[in-house]
Amino acid sequence: MAHHEFVPEHYHNTLGWHEPVLEVSPGDSVSTTTVDARGRDRDGHQAAVRGNPQTGPFYVTGAEPGDALAVTLDLVRPNRPWGFTATAVAPNVLDPGFRPRFDDDLEVTRWEVDVEAGSVRLSEPEGPLSRLALPLDPMVGCFGVAPERGQAISTATSHRHGGNMDYRGFRQGVTVWFPVFAPGALFHIGDGHAVQGDGEIVGTGVEISFDVRFTLDLVKGSSIEWPRAEDDTWLMTAGNARPLDQCVQHATTEMLRWLETDHGLDARTAHLLLGQAVAYDVGNIYDPAYTMICKVRKSHVEAIRGQAG
Amino acid sequence: MAHHEFVPEHYHNTLGWHEPVLEVSPGDSVSTTTVDARGRDRDGHQAAVRGNPQTGPFYVTGAEPGDALAVTLDLVRPNRPWGFTATAVAPNVLDPGFRPRFDDDLEVTRWEVDVEAGSVRLSEPEGPLSRLALPLDPMVGCFGVAPERGQAISTATSHRHGGNMDYRGFRQGVTVWFPVFAPGALFHIGDGHAVQGDGEIVGTGVEISFDVRFTLDLVKGSSIEWPRAEDDTWLMTAGNARPLDQCVQHATTEMLRWLETDHGLDARTAHLLLGQAVAYDVGNIYDPAYTMICKVRKSHVEAIRGQAG
Amino acid sequence: MAHHEFVPEHYHNTLGWHEPVLEVSPGDSVSTTTVDARGRDRDGHQAAVRGNPQTGPFYVTGAEPGDALAVTLDLVRPNRPWGFTATAVAPNVLDPGFRPRFDDDLEVTRWEVDVEAGSVRLSEPEGPLSRLALPLDPMVGCFGVAPERGQAISTATSHRHGGNMDYRGFRQGVTVWFPVFAPGALFHIGDGHAVQGDGEIVGTGVEISFDVRFTLDLVKGSSIEWPRAEDDTWLMTAGNARPLDQCVQHATTEMLRWLETDHGLDARTAHLLLGQAVAYDVGNIYDPAYTMICKVRKSHVEAIRGQAG
Amino acid sequence: MAHHEFVPEHYHNTLGWHEPVLEVSPGDSVSTTTVDARGRDRDGHQAAVRGNPQTGPFYVTGAEPGDALAVTLDLVRPNRPWGFTATAVAPNVLDPGFRPRFDDDLEVTRWEVDVEAGSVRLSEPEGPLSRLALPLDPMVGCFGVAPERGQAISTATSHRHGGNMDYRGFRQGVTVWFPVFAPGALFHIGDGHAVQGDGEIVGTGVEISFDVRFTLDLVKGSSIEWPRAEDDTWLMTAGNARPLDQCVQHATTEMLRWLETDHGLDARTAHLLLGQAVAYDVGNIYDPAYTMICKVRKSHVEAIRGQAG
């Protein structure tokens, strides 16, 4: 269970079968940094080409197609005191033909991020929105593994390998499992947000550079088809596609598989449980692929299995 | 502000321009009952034709097209100790071709509902799921007004007039606004659920008959285009359509209109606020029209307006 | 096989369980007229409220739920020399945020319709488009029967009962079958177009009043679930929903049912045939429900059955 | 205008920034071969990994991002007498929960292809479908250029760079333009079909190896965003996405851009023309991205420009 300090020297704008930057053993953890969505680092220097540049990929010894890679986000923390957002809600989440009642011009807006105070505030002291302090809630927008069939897929989108899911629940403490397609899995991470509304509907969260620490582990011979995740409260599955209806289909099907195969619920019980207790969260609804999260309370599953309740 | 006790003698399986059962004044409240989704009342007697039969419609004096009807759900309470659900997750929320690993046969499953204890439990003492007590969380599945253009629309679906939205947030205490299309608005209500998972993905919540009390009021000359709602914490708008992407568009556009027109936010502030603080909830994803809820915290809007924070 | 001349005195803006205007026997034909989409008749007089007003409904003796109504369009002919269209392609068929490069103002444009010459031409002698004569190709935009469950559904949309499908193939000579939901079937017809592009993407064809003649017949005990049609060349099924993917699902499934149940193809043959020989046409993609047509050549089915080729 | 004979020695299962196999000058033509969708060549030998393996890529001297690559399909001809198809219509084009009435088992079916006679026939002399000879209509299922941002995208899907569009109109004689993203454009081609129904709804056409000849040319400084094409009759644009509604949006928007920018129509004329004369064809509706084609008759555009009619 080694710990690695890694200083990135280059970044990728696709998740792909790229040359690894570091090989780690299952169970190892890595401390490193990520640049913001436009490629600027903690000092505001342009360190990478814009478009969710990724740190990595990290090669996990022994990872093979058919395994799952477990990623625990041990630390997810902005490392500078400012971020930026786009301003206007994207046309694809508004009624066709509806036009915003202000002149947007793809304006970029600056926000102050106070990690100590745990707050995020618009950098416009006189403006009405600056009266509102949003609670800091750092999350990783884009991460995952090299995709199937030797593909290199843009960090603007997502699929079975993860990618740009922009889900608020991918915050510090969560563990996420990805299906492994390439030898070594090839884990990538980037696109930190200090805070974000559901759906990333302006096309950005409060985009910022991060200090991150994560632990990489393997589940050999896993049948996982879409990303799965777990935090203190929830079991979660992610479906990445369009329209959202298809995301629902992928995520719900994956949850049934997980409950039945790994959590020991018989099929009828799994269906009945989802029917009366499932929850859904919306991930990215801005990019070419949208994301829907299907969730079930761990306490429910434990009660059914006689472990509690 | 009169209070009316109303005992229904017939029910409707469409929301339409039906003969009113009672005329009330704006601000009046009504106590009545609803039957379950299959038309059975508190005694289990078949009182109506199955398919979300509606109590009403109630005619509100002075309501005209171009107004909004405000409905506050003062009481939403099961009036019998059992409900039923379907069992299998619907094919339209699962991957095409994925088949449940049990033989469903459109089985109907019975649940025990303990209003005093606040719990809902499967009526199968020996089964694994009966170890789990779900917290009682009564909600109204289908309600709304007569739709535009003289239509009569099935209680299986939803649109601008409301209808079968199956949203968990439509519980006791919420106020919902519907656009008025018919003289008198013609309010209908039915389809109570003791509890329900997001999306009603098996096609039912725990279907049950209700005692309800609601207050009906008017907003004259309102520009509302889709249902709006408010509880202690949230401002909410509902979009009803398919695919879910289109629901998102309707609900988000309606929220912008609401924030700008009624809550006094300038357009740029409204967009920036949604971008970093919007939340979405999933309503019905089983029926011909799906439902998505767009939400903003009232405390955020109050802080921006200088009323708090 | 009687023939009826019917002169409409009022019109409906929904397809619903309305009072019949005429009762006919199976096999009878009717000659009547339709007004244009805005309710103007052959003389340009405002005869009905705008929004695809329908002539009818016509009650067919003996029609019951579970039957199919067969409608043959014997005559479909504009009865005045001008029509009108909207101008701009609708936002819902263009990329989100794409704005037309001209100022539309919901302008209505007039066209000259020459039935003798068989041509349709923009009424702007100096404009570039008037150099183009489109071939006259009259079609019925909106027709069908009273929908299920006592509904009354706007002529702006479509579903299993037909409605506003705006399919170019619903022209003179075609026979269309609708599932019967109401006693007497209650056939409605209106919304004639002198010509129309696929999808009715500006929201109109060349809208015009019609002389029509149609024959109504019954198929007792039919299992039809969506509209079916037949002309000299094609078997056709219509799926009406959103998104278009769902229209494809309804129409393709209905075609398999039709080929297997009524045309005697075994299931494997029906699937193989569709795989290599199916064709799709786009109906309305402007309104709340879109339309997709699934087609198979009659000559292919006849060849397989040993009746030809 | 050189002609090159090229014998492939390896194939790619992605369209990507791969090492070119041949550099050609704008205007040059290439004769080569493609293997079938499962990687078998004219002799039935397994020459490549299954999944629409591509011949190429071909580097065009001088091609840069911001140009368009023009590909004319001079020859598209099966080079062996048999092909294969899948059998069952895919679940994603059928109603959720609808199950084929035969046991499919992902069966592969063999077809006889007679290039001289111009016919395609099922290889089951006793079966009903073998009575039907489909007319040979060879088309290229998957072709295009290296995608943007250094991506390598699976031959199972499609996007702005082309890919697996499975459109029947991409047959001999057509010219297709692709936006150039990589230096040299990097043209790939494969996945020949002897014949195919619209949509490739069983997941295959009659899959076969091809002799192909194509001419590659450049349009410098082109504003093309999605594939465009032209044959003797039609101007065509392709939108590749999900749901089909989004394909419609991409293709229709691209057609407006084309008509206005390259064909000299003013915006209002272009909109009016599409409204009354546009046609749509369905490409692939089996794979992760669907394809819709937007079409306008060249004769219409010529008439408007005063060049004819």
Side-chain angles (χ1 to χ4, degrees):
Chain A
M1 308 299 183
H3 180 75
H4 309 262
E5 302 278 343
F6 175 73
V7 178
E9 296 180 344
H10 66 272
Y11 302 85
H12 290 281
N13 296 94
T14 58
L15 283 80
W17 297 46
H18 305 302
E19 188 69 24
V21 293
L22 182 71
E23 179 167 351
V24 304
S25 295
D28 285 2
S29 59
V30 178
S31 290
T32 189
T33 57
T34 61
V35 292
D36 73 22
R38 295 201 169 177
R40 285 170 301 190
D41 64 15
R42 79 177 64 203
D43 302 313
H45 293 145
Q46 192 77 33
V49 173
R50 64 182 285 175
N52 297 339
Q54 301 284 294
T55 300
F58 300 91
Y59 186 104
V60 181
T61 309
E64 297 170 307
D67 299 339
L69 177 72
V71 180
T72 302
L73 298 178
D74 303 312
L75 176 77
V76 168
R77 189 171 57 195
N79 61 15
R80 72 183 191 208
W82 61 274
F84 68 90
T85 69
T87 304
V89 175
N92 53 308
V93 297
L94 295 174
D95 282 342
F98 179 87
R99 298 184 186 178
R101 294 169 188 169
F102 72 108
D103 190 9
D104 174 38
D105 287 333
L106 302 176
E107 177 194 4
V108 170
T109 304
R110 186 179 171 107
W111 299 66
E112 307 302 319
V113 176
D114 186 334
V115 174
E116 293 309 307
S119 70
V120 180
R121 195 181 290 264
L122 192 66
S123 303
E124 300 175 359
E126 304 307 313
L129 194 61
S130 62
R131 296 188 196 118
L132 172 66
L134 292 170
L136 181 71
D137 188 14
M139 50 161 280
V140 177
C142 182
F143 64 139
V145 296
E148 56 195 325
R149 292 171 64 107
Q151 291 182 92
I153 294 183
S154 166
T155 53
T157 190
S158 61
H159 200 240
R160 298 177 58 204
H161 66 289
N164 196 35
M165 298 178 284
D166 289 315
Y167 173 48
R168 297 170 71 179
F170 292 154
R171 57 171 67 90
Q172 188 169 303
V174 75
T175 296
V176 186
W177 292 267
F178 299 99
V180 174
F181 301 107
L186 301 177
F187 177 67
H188 305 61
I189 186 167
D191 188 30
H193 299 162
V195 70
Q196 180 205 283
D198 278 354
E200 208 202 36
I201 65 173
V202 296
T204 72
V206 174
E207 306 289 334
I208 200 163
S209 57
F210 267 8
D211 289 335
V212 294
R213 191 178 67 239
F214 49 82
T215 302
L216 301 176
D217 210 345
L218 281 183
V219 183
K220 298 296 293 181
S222 166
S223 62
I224 180 174
E225 296 195 17
W226 288 91
R228 299 175 177 178
E230 185 174 343
D231 63 15
D232 287 346
T233 308
W234 298 100
L235 302 178
M236 296 170 272
T237 53
N240 306 319
R242 264 210 203 180
L244 272 172
D245 308 26
Q246 193 181 347
C247 305
V248 166
Q249 294 174 340
H250 294 324
T252 310
T253 305
E254 186 70 14
M255 182 58 80
L256 283 175
R257 276 192 290 259
W258 197 11
L259 292 176
E260 297 175 28
T261 304
D262 298 79
H263 289 281
L265 270 56
D266 67 277
R268 179 172 172 273
T269 295
H271 282 247
L272 280 165
L273 173 65
L274 290 194
Q276 303 313 318
V278 75
Y280 291 97
D281 282 343
V282 168
N284 185 299
I285 51 173
Y286 172 81
D287 284 320
Y290 290 171
T291 293
M292 183 73 83
I293 303 292
C294 177
K295 302 198 302 188
V296 174
R297 285 180 188 278
K298 291 161 70 173
S299 61
H300 285 352
V301 176
E302 288 159 2
I304 292 170
R305 301 187 63 181
Q307 297 164 340
Chain B
M1 307 300 183
H3 181 75
H4 308 262
E5 301 278 343
F6 175 73
V7 179
E9 295 181 344
H10 66 272
Y11 302 85
H12 291 282
N13 296 94
T14 58
L15 283 80
W17 297 47
H18 305 301
E19 188 68 25
V21 294
L22 183 69
E23 178 167 352
V24 304
S25 295
D28 285 1
S29 60
V30 178
S31 289
T32 188
T33 57
T34 61
V35 293
D36 74 22
R38 293 202 170 177
R40 284 170 303 190
D41 65 15
R42 77 177 66 204
D43 302 314
H45 292 146
Q46 192 78 34
V49 173
R50 65 182 285 176
N52 298 340
Q54 300 285 294
T55 299
F58 300 91
Y59 186 106
V60 181
T61 309
E64 297 170 307
D67 299 340
L69 177 71
V71 180
T72 301
L73 299 179
D74 303 312
L75 177 76
V76 169
R77 188 171 59 197
N79 60 17
R80 72 183 191 210
W82 61 274
F84 68 90
T85 68
T87 305
V89 175
N92 54 307
V93 297
L94 296 174
D95 281 343
F98 179 86
R99 299 184 185 179
R101 295 170 188 167
F102 72 109
D103 190 9
D104 173 38
D105 287 332
L106 301 177
E107 177 196 4
V108 170
T109 304
R110 187 179 170 107
W111 298 65
E112 306 303 319
V113 177
D114 187 333
V115 174
E116 294 308 309
S119 69
V120 182
R121 194 181 290 266
L122 193 66
S123 304
E124 298 175 2
E126 304 307 312
L129 194 61
S130 62
R131 294 187 196 120
L132 172 66
L134 292 170
L136 181 71
D137 188 15
M139 51 160 279
V140 177
C142 182
F143 63 138
V145 296
E148 55 195 326
R149 292 172 62 108
Q151 291 182 93
I153 293 183
S154 167
T155 53
T157 190
S158 61
H159 200 239
R160 297 178 58 205
H161 66 290
N164 197 36
M165 298 177 284
D166 289 315
Y167 173 48
R168 298 169 69 178
F170 291 154
R171 56 171 68 89
Q172 188 169 304
V174 76
T175 296
V176 186
W177 292 266
F178 298 100
V180 174
F181 301 107
L186 301 177
F187 177 67
H188 305 62
I189 186 167
D191 188 29
H193 300 162
V195 71
Q196 180 205 284
D198 277 355
E200 208 201 37
I201 64 173
V202 297
T204 74
V206 174
E207 306 289 334
I208 200 163
S209 56
F210 267 7
D211 290 334
V212 293
R213 191 178 68 238
F214 49 83
T215 301
L216 300 177
D217 210 344
L218 282 183
V219 183
K220 297 297 293 182
S222 165
S223 63
I224 180 173
E225 296 194 18
W226 288 91
R228 298 175 178 178
E230 184 175 343
D231 63 15
D232 287 347
T233 308
W234 298 101
L235 302 178
M236 297 171 271
T237 52
N240 306 318
R242 264 208 205 184
L244 271 171
D245 308 26
Q246 194 181 348
C247 305
V248 166
Q249 293 173 340
H250 294 324
T252 309
T253 304
E254 186 70 14
M255 182 58 80
L256 283 176
R257 275 191 291 259
W258 198 11
L259 292 176
E260 297 175 27
T261 303
D262 297 80
H263 289 282
L265 269 55
D266 67 276
R268 179 170 172 273
T269 295
H271 282 248
L272 280 165
L273 173 65
L274 290 194
Q276 303 313 318
V278 75
Y280 290 97
D281 282 343
V282 168
N284 185 299
I285 49 173
Y286 172 80
D287 285 319
Y290 290 170
T291 293
M292 183 72 82
I293 304 293
C294 177
K295 301 197 304 187
V296 175
R297 285 180 188 278
K298 291 162 69 173
S299 61
H300 285 351
V301 176
E302 289 158 2
I304 292 170
R305 301 187 64 182
Q307 296 164 343
Chain C
M1 308 300 184
H3 180 75
H4 308 262
E5 301 278 342
F6 175 73
V7 178
E9 296 181 345
H10 66 272
Y11 301 85
H12 290 283
N13 296 94
T14 59
L15 283 79
W17 298 45
H18 306 302
E19 188 69 24
V21 293
L22 182 70
E23 178 167 352
V24 304
S25 297
D28 286 1
S29 60
V30 177
S31 290
T32 189
T33 57
T34 61
V35 293
D36 73 23
R38 295 201 168 177
R40 284 171 300 191
D41 65 15
R42 76 177 66 202
D43 303 314
H45 293 145
Q46 191 79 34
V49 174
R50 65 184 282 176
N52 299 339
Q54 300 284 294
T55 299
F58 300 91
Y59 186 104
V60 181
T61 309
E64 297 170 306
D67 300 339
L69 177 71
V71 179
T72 302
L73 298 178
D74 303 313
L75 176 76
V76 169
R77 189 172 56 197
N79 61 17
R80 72 184 189 208
W82 60 274
F84 68 89
T85 69
T87 304
V89 175
N92 55 307
V93 297
L94 295 175
D95 282 343
F98 179 88
R99 299 186 186 176
R101 295 173 187 166
F102 72 109
D103 190 10
D104 174 37
D105 287 330
L106 302 176
E107 175 195 5
V108 169
T109 305
R110 187 179 170 107
W111 299 66
E112 307 302 318
V113 177
D114 186 334
V115 174
E116 294 308 308
S119 69
V120 181
R121 195 181 289 264
L122 193 66
S123 304
E124 298 175 0
E126 303 308 310
L129 194 61
S130 62
R131 293 187 198 120
L132 172 66
L134 292 169
L136 180 72
D137 187 16
M139 50 159 280
V140 177
C142 183
F143 64 138
V145 297
E148 56 194 324
R149 293 172 61 108
Q151 291 182 93
I153 294 184
S154 166
T155 53
T157 190
S158 61
H159 200 239
R160 295 179 60 205
H161 66 288
N164 196 34
M165 298 178 283
D166 289 317
Y167 173 49
R168 298 170 69 178
F170 291 154
R171 57 170 68 91
Q172 189 168 302
V174 76
T175 296
V176 186
W177 291 266
F178 298 100
V180 174
F181 302 107
L186 300 177
F187 177 67
H188 305 61
I189 185 168
D191 188 28
H193 299 162
V195 70
Q196 180 205 282
D198 277 355
E200 207 201 37
I201 64 173
V202 296
T204 73
V206 174
E207 306 289 333
I208 200 163
S209 57
F210 267 7
D211 290 334
V212 294
R213 191 177 68 236
F214 49 83
T215 301
L216 300 177
D217 210 344
L218 282 182
V219 182
K220 298 296 293 181
S222 166
S223 62
I224 181 173
E225 296 195 17
W226 288 91
R228 298 175 179 179
E230 184 175 342
D231 63 14
D232 287 346
T233 308
W234 299 100
L235 301 177
M236 297 171 272
T237 52
N240 306 318
R242 265 207 203 184
L244 271 172
D245 308 25
Q246 193 181 347
C247 304
V248 165
Q249 293 173 340
H250 294 325
T252 310
T253 305
E254 186 70 15
M255 181 58 80
L256 283 175
R257 276 193 290 260
W258 198 10
L259 292 176
E260 296 175 28
T261 304
D262 297 80
H263 289 282
L265 270 56
D266 67 277
R268 180 171 172 273
T269 295
H271 281 246
L272 280 165
L273 173 65
L274 289 194
Q276 304 314 318
V278 75
Y280 291 97
D281 283 343
V282 168
N284 185 299
I285 51 174
Y286 172 80
D287 286 319
Y290 290 172
T291 293
M292 183 74 81
I293 304 293
C294 177
K295 302 197 304 187
V296 174
R297 286 181 186 277
K298 291 162 70 173
S299 62
H300 285 353
V301 176
E302 289 159 1
I304 292 170
R305 301 187 66 182
Q307 296 163 342
Chain D
M1 306 301 185
H3 180 76
H4 307 262
E5 301 279 341
F6 175 73
V7 179
E9 293 180 347
H10 67 272
Y11 302 85
H12 290 282
N13 296 95
T14 58
L15 282 79
W17 297 46
H18 305 302
E19 187 70 23
V21 293
L22 182 71
E23 179 167 350
V24 304
S25 296
D28 286 0
S29 61
V30 178
S31 289
T32 187
T33 57
T34 62
V35 293
D36 73 23
R38 295 202 168 177
R40 285 171 299 191
D41 64 15
R42 78 178 65 203
D43 302 314
H45 293 145
Q46 192 78 34
V49 173
R50 66 183 282 175
N52 298 340
Q54 301 284 294
T55 300
F58 299 92
Y59 186 103
V60 181
T61 309
E64 297 170 307
D67 299 339
L69 177 71
V71 180
T72 301
L73 298 178
D74 304 312
L75 175 77
V76 169
R77 189 172 58 197
N79 60 16
R80 71 185 190 208
W82 61 274
F84 68 90
T85 69
T87 304
V89 175
N92 53 307
V93 296
L94 296 174
D95 281 343
F98 179 86
R99 299 185 186 178
R101 295 171 187 166
F102 74 108
D103 190 8
D104 174 38
D105 288 330
L106 301 177
E107 175 195 6
V108 169
T109 304
R110 186 180 172 107
W111 299 65
E112 306 303 320
V113 176
D114 186 333
V115 174
E116 294 308 308
S119 69
V120 181
R121 194 182 289 265
L122 193 67
S123 304
E124 298 175 0
E126 303 307 312
L129 193 62
S130 62
R131 293 187 198 120
L132 173 66
L134 293 170
L136 180 72
D137 188 16
M139 50 160 281
V140 177
C142 183
F143 64 139
V145 295
E148 54 194 325
R149 292 172 63 106
Q151 292 182 94
I153 294 184
S154 166
T155 53
T157 190
S158 61
H159 200 240
R160 296 178 60 205
H161 67 288
N164 196 34
M165 298 179 283
D166 289 316
Y167 173 48
R168 297 169 70 178
F170 291 155
R171 58 170 68 90
Q172 187 168 305
V174 76
T175 297
V176 186
W177 290 266
F178 298 99
V180 174
F181 302 106
L186 301 177
F187 177 67
H188 305 62
I189 186 167
D191 189 28
H193 299 163
V195 70
Q196 180 204 283
D198 278 354
E200 208 201 36
I201 64 174
V202 296
T204 73
V206 175
E207 306 289 334
I208 200 163
S209 58
F210 268 7
D211 289 334
V212 294
R213 190 178 67 237
F214 49 84
T215 301
L216 300 177
D217 210 344
L218 281 183
V219 183
K220 297 297 292 183
S222 167
S223 62
I224 181 174
E225 296 195 17
W226 288 91
R228 300 175 177 178
E230 184 175 343
D231 63 15
D232 287 347
T233 307
W234 298 100
L235 301 178
M236 298 172 270
T237 53
N240 306 317
R242 265 205 203 186
L244 271 172
D245 309 26
Q246 193 181 348
C247 305
V248 166
Q249 294 174 340
H250 295 324
T252 310
T253 304
E254 185 71 15
M255 181 59 79
L256 283 175
R257 275 193 291 259
W258 199 10
L259 292 176
E260 297 174 28
T261 303
D262 298 80
H263 289 282
L265 270 55
D266 66 278
R268 180 171 172 273
T269 295
H271 281 247
L272 280 166
L273 173 65
L274 289 194
Q276 304 313 318
V278 75
Y280 290 98
D281 283 342
V282 168
N284 185 300
I285 51 173
Y286 172 81
D287 285 318
Y290 290 171
T291 294
M292 183 74 81
I293 304 293
C294 177
K295 301 199 303 187
V296 174
R297 286 181 187 277
K298 291 161 71 172
S299 61
H300 286 352
V301 176
E302 289 159 2
I304 292 170
R305 302 187 64 182
Q307 297 163 340

